[in-house]
Amino acid sequence: MPELPEVENVRRSLESLVVGKTIQHVDVRLPRIVRTPDDVRQFEFMLSGCTIEGVGRRGKYLLFDVPPYTLVSHLRMEGQYRLAERGEETAPHTHVVFTFTDGTELRYRDVRQFGTMDLIGPGEPLPKGLQSLGLEPFDPQLDPHTLYQRIHHRTAPIKAVLLDQSVLAGLGNIYVDEALFRAGIHPERPANRLTKAQCERLLGVIRDVLQEAIDAGGSSIKSYVNGYGRHGAFQMALNVYGRDGEPCRVCGTEIVKLRVAGRGTHVCPVCQMRPRKRRTSHKTRNGTLLRTTGEKEFEA
């Protein structure tokens, strides 16, 4: 799924390609892509005559400013936008076509058909997923103390917490794996076991990884391309994600793949020490044998 760097690159490309263009008409070929309004014919009618005045982003969502509406688009797994000339051959799996008055077309293609579009009018609520987003990693309001406060009551593995979009918006499997590697934190470490110093380091590396990925055009692991049809290059710089069985770029140890929070997770066993087993001890109180279990200990 495209994450913050990929969606940001799509946003930037679309900003230069379609801002200022006026929509002549819209053709929705797969109705389930459009969630709001319920009637796709109404969706097509409402957008006709509107001008795209901006393209924003919130987390992994694209926000097209088409006054008086906001078109919220989530690419999900493999959604793509491409600008084409009218009459140009249409690629398979093209589900929505925005035709502009200048003769060009913005085409939405989605092989997996998981993407969504919501056309939101003035005063109407945003989609629930967008409403529940937390701060973005680059938000000036987010500092190490704030991150610590957001996670220090959570007992779930830190990877699961970072994937929670209500905690931090925009992170996904690729960049969580990469950030945890750089921070030297095992993905199974309970979030509430991170110190304030570790939170400071983690926030710093999250920002570094995301900025480097944005500058490289994102990561094209499968089908990701930006609005110009260009692939990203950051996949060439990944330290752990997708590199199971290969040597760690830092220590040479073989990268292993685990399953954490239901997701394939890539770890260096040396740079990110695994949790020790729980320790069990026995003691007596007034002649009664008691069994106590210590907390997991981590070495990262």
Side-chain angles (χ1 to χ4, degrees), residues 7 20 39 57 64 91 99 129 140 159 169 177 190 193 208 227 232 247 269:
V7 180
D39 184 352
R57 180 193 55 76
F64 293 83
T99 300
K159 173 157 185 176
D177 278 6
R193 294 291 305 281
D208 289 345

Side-chain angles (χ1 to χ4, degrees), residues 43-100:
F43 176 88
E44 295 171 341
F45 175 78
M46 291 167 68
L47 283 171
S48 297
C50 291
T51 298
I52 299 178
E53 295 191 358
V55 184
R57 180 193 55 76
R58 180 79 171 90
K60 303 175 188 178
Y61 292 83
L62 288 169
L63 306 174
F64 293 83
D65 183 15
V66 281
Y69 310 109
T70 298
L71 174 60
V72 180
S73 174
H74 199 322
L75 302 176
R76 300 291 177 183
M77 297 294 289
E78 295 192 38
Q80 300 175 350
Y81 281 101
R82 290 291 306 278
L83 188 68
E85 295 293 330
R86 188 181 303 176
E88 187 177 320
E89 184 178 355
T90 303
H93 309 289
T94 297
H95 303 309
V96 184
V97 178
F98 303 84
T99 300
F100 299 114

Side-chain angles (χ1 to χ4, degrees), residues 14 80-84 105-108 225-229:
L14 292 177
Q80 300 175 350
Y81 281 101
R82 290 291 306 278
L83 188 68
E105 295 178 344
L106 180 63
R107 299 173 178 177
Y108 176 75
V225 292
N226 65 16
Y228 291 104

Side-chain angles (χ1 to χ4, degrees), residues 198-236:
Q198 286 174 318
C199 285
E200 181 174 9
R201 173 164 173 73
L202 179 58
L203 180 57
V205 297
I206 286 172
R207 287 171 168 165
D208 289 345
V209 167
L210 292 179
Q211 189 59 61
E212 291 170 23
I214 290 170
D215 294 343
S219 298
S220 291
I221 304 297
K222 289 186 178 180
S223 59
Y224 160 72
V225 292
N226 65 16
Y228 291 104
R230 298 170 186 162
H231 292 86
F234 192 67
Q235 66 274 10
M236 305 301 294

